[in-house]
Each structure stands twice: as C-alpha cells, then as structure tokens.
Amino acid sequence: MTVNPALHFVGFRGDEFHSAVRIWGRPDFIHPDWDRWAQQDIHPTDTVIFARGTDADPLARFTYPHCG
C-alpha cells in the first residue's frame, strides 16, 4: 500500500499562516493546537510545520472539537 505524505500546519493564527503557505504550499490539514487529535492524525511520512514549538511540547490540555 502506498502512503502519500501530507502537510500539516499546527498552531497558525494569523499572518504567519500566509508566510508558511508561501514557503511550504497549502497544507492538507490545519490543526489549531498541538493536541491529541493533531498527534493522532499525523503519519510518520507526513511533514508537520509548527507556528511555535515542536512535537516534543506537551499536548494542549483542553482540545476543541473539529469543525466541518
């Protein structure tokens, strides 16, 4: 089975989003916070871009349900 790597943006909330899109392209997934939902969505072949911090940061304690 072939896995297509996805691009994830985590924690972007403003103009930095547009800057990241110029550099990396449009993300496949946008995660408001680094929480358990974001962590579970990421495959080892994916690329994850954080507005601040890294995947080593503690997960957000309170998460918001996905909209859409």
Side-chain angles (χ1 to χ4, degrees):
M1 175 153 82
T2 303
V3 175
N4 294 325
L7 177 63
H8 300 258
F9 282 4
V10 178
F12 286 88
R13 287 187 169 69
D15 290 335
E16 71 270 10
F17 175 84
H18 300 291
S19 298
V21 168
R22 279 194 302 254
I23 294 168
W24 296 95
R26 301 240 4 123
D28 298 299
F29 299 94
I30 299 171
H31 306 282
D33 295 298
W34 182 234
D35 57 18
R36 66 183 177 94
W37 298 105
Q39 190 180 48
Q40 290 173 358
D41 284 348
I42 296 169
H43 187 271
T45 62
D46 292 349
T47 299
V48 182
I49 308 300
F50 289 86
R52 289 170 211 70
T54 70
D55 63 341
D57 291 345
L59 297 176
R61 184 170 176 179
F62 297 101
T63 60
Y64 298 95
H66 290 272
C67 300

